[in-house]
Amino acid sequence: MDVTTPAGAAPANAPWLIVGLGNPGPEYAANRHNVGFMVADLLAERIGGRFKRAGKAQAQVVEGRIGPPGPANRRVILAKPMSFMNLSGGPVNALKDFYKVPVANVVAVHDELDIDFGVLRLKLGGGDNGHNGLKSMTKAFGAEYHRVRFGIGRPPGRMQVADFVLKDFSSAERKELDYFVDRAADAVECLVIEGLERAQSTYNS
């Protein structure tokens, strides 16, 4: 018998789909907008997997498990949409349906302008705050998925937002980036294994 969490959430044995948002291609790899890809790459490394094309879905995936042996062990699918940011919803929806992942077990890891660099905020549902990847996902299957929001701060001076997010992290930011990406990966693992409330109390700073 499946055990469900309160408020009609997903069965305890349902898989999780962890989506790192970004743009494909080496020219975008170090952009602020691609921090979701960076976190997904680290999570794949931790579970000993390598991203590969996911059948007909326009995405790369890694399948594996995280957590200690026993009831807390979780099946996860890590994904990086290859459709460009503003079309992320289609590939993510296809993966969600293929792997039979409840919407509440989808986690989007993404850059967040309204949070200082390196600061994390985890939440369930809500608006997209102008983020095109979230906007596309919400249009595809609704807003009630989890978000791990990685702060990148606001553009300096009069720099346009689009220019800012598509630039690489600054040299000063790069000195701390690995630490913050590592912490974001920890937060994702905590969310999946121990739940949103525990992850928020530990990583929302």
Side-chain angles (χ1 to χ4, degrees):
M1 183 174 70
D2 286 340
V3 178
T4 56
T5 54
N13 62 350
W16 286 76
L17 176 59
I18 301 166
V19 182
L21 292 178
N23 288 308
E27 66 270 36
Y28 299 104
N31 288 179
R32 293 182 176 92
H33 223 19
N34 271 45
V35 73
F37 275 19
M38 298 174 196
V39 176
D41 285 338
L42 179 56
L43 287 165
E45 183 181 317
R46 289 183 178 184
I47 65 174
R50 181 174 294 182
F51 279 100
K52 60 182 180 181
R53 181 69 68 169
K56 295 180 180 179
Q58 201 172 1
Q60 293 183 352
V61 301
V62 174
E63 298 180 55
R65 305 191 75 90
I66 64 173
N73 192 259
R74 300 283 185 262
R75 180 183 174 216
V76 297
I77 300 96
L78 307 175
K80 297 192 296 185
M82 295 285 111
S83 57
F84 288 97
M85 182 70 83
N86 61 349
L87 299 174
S88 299
V92 176
N93 196 39
L95 293 172
K96 177 183 71 65
D97 291 347
F98 178 80
Y99 288 103
K100 297 179 171 59
V101 178
V103 173
N105 278 21
V106 176
V107 182
V109 186
H110 64 93
D111 57 306
E112 179 61 64
L113 285 161
D114 287 336
I115 303 174
D116 289 341
F117 170 66
V119 173
L120 297 176
R121 292 281 190 276
L122 288 80
K123 69 174 186 175
L124 173 63
D128 56 58
N129 201 25
H131 193 287
N132 288 331
L134 299 182
K135 189 178 299 183
S136 181
M137 288 176 60
T138 296
K139 183 177 180 181
F141 52 83
E144 292 306 304
Y145 53 92
H146 287 87
R147 300 102 188 276
V148 175
R149 305 157 71 202
F150 187 110
I152 61 170
R154 301 293 303 185
R158 297 185 179 183
M159 182 184 291
Q160 295 296 310
V161 166
D163 294 332
F164 180 69
V165 300
L166 293 176
K167 285 188 178 297
D168 292 357
F169 286 98
S170 69
S171 57
E173 289 169 336
R174 285 197 298 270
K175 293 177 181 177
E176 298 181 289
L177 183 59
D178 286 349
Y179 168 78
F180 289 131
V181 168
D182 190 73
R183 191 166 184 270
D186 290 345
V188 172
E189 292 181 345
C190 184
L191 168 62
V192 171
I193 297 166
E194 301 187 64
L196 178 61
E197 187 174 340
R198 174 63 65 87
Q200 286 176 324
S201 66
T202 303
Y203 293 98
N204 279 17
S205 52

PDB file of all heavy atoms in Angstrom, residues 1-2 7 19 23 39 67 72 77 94 112 132 146 179 188 195 201:
ATOM      1  N   MET A   1       0.849  -1.196   0.000  1.00  0.00           N
ATOM      2  CA  MET A   1       0.000   0.000   0.000  1.00  0.00           C
ATOM      3  C   MET A   1       0.879   1.238   0.000  1.00  0.00           C
ATOM      4  O   MET A   1       1.827   1.334   0.775  1.00  0.00           O
ATOM      5  CB  MET A   1      -0.901   0.005   1.237  1.00  0.00           C
ATOM      6  CG  MET A   1      -1.874   1.181   1.271  1.00  0.00           C
ATOM      7  SD  MET A   1      -3.032   1.063   2.657  1.00  0.00           S
ATOM      8  CE  MET A   1      -1.909   1.370   4.033  1.00  0.00           C
ATOM      9  N   ASP A   2       0.571   2.175  -0.879  1.00  0.00           N
ATOM     10  CA  ASP A   2       1.339   3.407  -0.928  1.00  0.00           C
ATOM     11  C   ASP A   2       1.038   4.265   0.288  1.00  0.00           C
ATOM     12  O   ASP A   2      -0.097   4.363   0.734  1.00  0.00           O
ATOM     13  CB  ASP A   2       0.990   4.220  -2.189  1.00  0.00           C
ATOM     14  CG  ASP A   2       1.581   3.604  -3.434  1.00  0.00           C
ATOM     15  OD1 ASP A   2       2.536   2.824  -3.304  1.00  0.00           O
ATOM     16  OD2 ASP A   2       1.072   3.902  -4.532  1.00  0.00           O
ATOM     17  N   ALA A   7      -2.039  16.291   2.860  1.00  0.00           N
ATOM     18  CA  ALA A   7      -2.580  17.214   1.853  1.00  0.00           C
ATOM     19  C   ALA A   7      -2.546  16.623   0.449  1.00  0.00           C
ATOM     20  O   ALA A   7      -2.448  17.317  -0.538  1.00  0.00           O
ATOM     21  CB  ALA A   7      -1.829  18.539   1.871  1.00  0.00           C
ATOM     22  N   VAL A  19      14.979  19.089 -12.139  1.00  0.00           N
ATOM     23  CA  VAL A  19      15.261  19.768 -13.403  1.00  0.00           C
ATOM     24  C   VAL A  19      16.195  20.944 -13.160  1.00  0.00           C
ATOM     25  O   VAL A  19      15.847  21.897 -12.460  1.00  0.00           O
ATOM     26  CB  VAL A  19      13.956  20.274 -14.048  1.00  0.00           C
ATOM     27  CG1 VAL A  19      14.257  20.941 -15.383  1.00  0.00           C
ATOM     28  CG2 VAL A  19      12.948  19.151 -14.196  1.00  0.00           C
ATOM     29  N   ASN A  23      20.478  26.942 -20.617  1.00  0.00           N
ATOM     30  CA  ASN A  23      20.488  26.918 -22.080  1.00  0.00           C
ATOM     31  C   ASN A  23      21.566  25.949 -22.552  1.00  0.00           C
ATOM     32  O   ASN A  23      22.662  25.913 -21.980  1.00  0.00           O
ATOM     33  CB  ASN A  23      20.785  28.313 -22.640  1.00  0.00           C
ATOM     34  CG  ASN A  23      19.619  29.269 -22.472  1.00  0.00           C
ATOM     35  OD1 ASN A  23      18.491  28.957 -22.852  1.00  0.00           O
ATOM     36  ND2 ASN A  23      19.875  30.435 -21.897  1.00  0.00           N
ATOM     37  N   VAL A  39      24.130  22.806 -10.968  1.00  0.00           N
ATOM     38  CA  VAL A  39      23.682  22.006  -9.826  1.00  0.00           C
ATOM     39  C   VAL A  39      23.313  20.592 -10.284  1.00  0.00           C
ATOM     40  O   VAL A  39      23.671  19.599  -9.631  1.00  0.00           O
ATOM     41  CB  VAL A  39      22.498  22.688  -9.123  1.00  0.00           C
ATOM     42  CG1 VAL A  39      21.960  21.808  -7.993  1.00  0.00           C
ATOM     43  CG2 VAL A  39      22.916  24.056  -8.563  1.00  0.00           C
ATOM     44  N   GLY A  67      19.960   9.205  -1.089  1.00  0.00           N
ATOM     45  CA  GLY A  67      19.500   8.934   0.265  1.00  0.00           C
ATOM     46  C   GLY A  67      20.053   7.640   0.807  1.00  0.00           C
ATOM     47  O   GLY A  67      20.561   6.787   0.052  1.00  0.00           O
ATOM     48  N   ALA A  72      14.044   6.101   3.361  1.00  0.00           N
ATOM     49  CA  ALA A  72      14.389   7.450   2.911  1.00  0.00           C
ATOM     50  C   ALA A  72      15.064   7.472   1.539  1.00  0.00           C
ATOM     51  O   ALA A  72      15.294   8.535   0.981  1.00  0.00           O
ATOM     52  CB  ALA A  72      15.301   8.133   3.931  1.00  0.00           C
ATOM     53  N   ILE A  77      15.207  11.241 -11.176  1.00  0.00           N
ATOM     54  CA  ILE A  77      15.597  11.484 -12.561  1.00  0.00           C
ATOM     55  C   ILE A  77      16.110  12.918 -12.614  1.00  0.00           C
ATOM     56  O   ILE A  77      15.363  13.860 -12.322  1.00  0.00           O
ATOM     57  CB  ILE A  77      14.418  11.299 -13.536  1.00  0.00           C
ATOM     58  CG1 ILE A  77      13.855   9.877 -13.465  1.00  0.00           C
ATOM     59  CG2 ILE A  77      14.852  11.616 -14.973  1.00  0.00           C
ATOM     60  CD1 ILE A  77      12.666   9.738 -12.556  1.00  0.00           C
ATOM     61  N   ALA A  94       7.109  16.224 -20.860  1.00  0.00           N
ATOM     62  CA  ALA A  94       7.265  14.903 -21.488  1.00  0.00           C
ATOM     63  C   ALA A  94       7.952  13.926 -20.534  1.00  0.00           C
ATOM     64  O   ALA A  94       7.541  12.762 -20.423  1.00  0.00           O
ATOM     65  CB  ALA A  94       8.053  15.039 -22.787  1.00  0.00           C
ATOM     66  N   GLU A 112      17.786  33.176  -9.642  1.00  0.00           N
ATOM     67  CA  GLU A 112      16.771  34.086  -9.115  1.00  0.00           C
ATOM     68  C   GLU A 112      17.369  35.474  -8.948  1.00  0.00           C
ATOM     69  O   GLU A 112      18.290  35.689  -8.155  1.00  0.00           O
ATOM     70  CB  GLU A 112      16.262  33.570  -7.775  1.00  0.00           C
ATOM     71  CG  GLU A 112      15.219  34.442  -7.119  1.00  0.00           C
ATOM     72  CD  GLU A 112      13.962  34.588  -7.960  1.00  0.00           C
ATOM     73  OE1 GLU A 112      13.271  33.579  -8.201  1.00  0.00           O
ATOM     74  OE2 GLU A 112      13.698  35.730  -8.387  1.00  0.00           O
ATOM     75  N   ASN A 132      11.647  32.914 -17.487  1.00  0.00           N
ATOM     76  CA  ASN A 132      11.038  32.267 -18.648  1.00  0.00           C
ATOM     77  C   ASN A 132      10.985  30.749 -18.549  1.00  0.00           C
ATOM     78  O   ASN A 132      10.064  30.117 -19.079  1.00  0.00           O
ATOM     79  CB  ASN A 132      11.772  32.679 -19.925  1.00  0.00           C
ATOM     80  CG  ASN A 132      11.485  34.111 -20.321  1.00  0.00           C
ATOM     81  OD1 ASN A 132      10.419  34.643 -20.039  1.00  0.00           O
ATOM     82  ND2 ASN A 132      12.453  34.757 -20.962  1.00  0.00           N
ATOM     83  N   HIS A 146       8.051  22.121  -6.910  1.00  0.00           N
ATOM     84  CA  HIS A 146       9.033  22.724  -6.009  1.00  0.00           C
ATOM     85  C   HIS A 146      10.049  23.555  -6.798  1.00  0.00           C
ATOM     86  O   HIS A 146      10.356  23.249  -7.951  1.00  0.00           O
ATOM     87  CB  HIS A 146       9.781  21.647  -5.223  1.00  0.00           C
ATOM     88  CG  HIS A 146       8.952  21.004  -4.156  1.00  0.00           C
ATOM     89  ND1 HIS A 146       8.130  19.914  -4.397  1.00  0.00           N
ATOM     90  CD2 HIS A 146       8.822  21.285  -2.827  1.00  0.00           C
ATOM     91  CE1 HIS A 146       7.538  19.565  -3.271  1.00  0.00           C
ATOM     92  NE2 HIS A 146       7.930  20.371  -2.313  1.00  0.00           N
ATOM     93  N   TYR A 179      31.275  26.518  -3.975  1.00  0.00           N
ATOM     94  CA  TYR A 179      30.701  26.311  -2.643  1.00  0.00           C
ATOM     95  C   TYR A 179      29.183  26.450  -2.679  1.00  0.00           C
ATOM     96  O   TYR A 179      28.452  25.618  -2.115  1.00  0.00           O
ATOM     97  CB  TYR A 179      31.285  27.315  -1.647  1.00  0.00           C
ATOM     98  CG  TYR A 179      30.540  27.364  -0.332  1.00  0.00           C
ATOM     99  CD1 TYR A 179      30.726  26.372   0.632  1.00  0.00           C
ATOM    100  CD2 TYR A 179      29.624  28.382  -0.076  1.00  0.00           C
ATOM    101  CE1 TYR A 179      30.025  26.403   1.835  1.00  0.00           C
ATOM    102  CE2 TYR A 179      28.920  28.420   1.118  1.00  0.00           C
ATOM    103  CZ  TYR A 179      29.116  27.432   2.069  1.00  0.00           C
ATOM    104  OH  TYR A 179      28.418  27.472   3.245  1.00  0.00           O
ATOM    105  N   VAL A 188      18.805  20.340  -2.512  1.00  0.00           N
ATOM    106  CA  VAL A 188      17.952  19.475  -3.324  1.00  0.00           C
ATOM    107  C   VAL A 188      17.834  18.100  -2.670  1.00  0.00           C
ATOM    108  O   VAL A 188      16.731  17.542  -2.535  1.00  0.00           O
ATOM    109  CB  VAL A 188      18.497  19.342  -4.760  1.00  0.00           C
ATOM    110  CG1 VAL A 188      17.715  18.276  -5.528  1.00  0.00           C
ATOM    111  CG2 VAL A 188      18.433  20.669  -5.498  1.00  0.00           C
ATOM    112  N   GLY A 195      12.039  16.368   3.036  1.00  0.00           N
ATOM    113  CA  GLY A 195      10.853  17.187   2.863  1.00  0.00           C
ATOM    114  C   GLY A 195      11.149  18.673   2.845  1.00  0.00           C
ATOM    115  O   GLY A 195      12.217  19.131   3.257  1.00  0.00           O
ATOM    116  N   SER A 201      14.168  25.062   6.576  1.00  0.00           N
ATOM    117  CA  SER A 201      14.747  25.468   7.862  1.00  0.00           C
ATOM    118  C   SER A 201      16.261  25.375   7.844  1.00  0.00           C
ATOM    119  O   SER A 201      16.955  26.135   8.539  1.00  0.00           O
ATOM    120  CB  SER A 201      14.172  24.627   9.006  1.00  0.00           C
ATOM    121  OG  SER A 201      14.573  23.269   8.894  1.00  0.00           O
TER     122      SER A 201
END
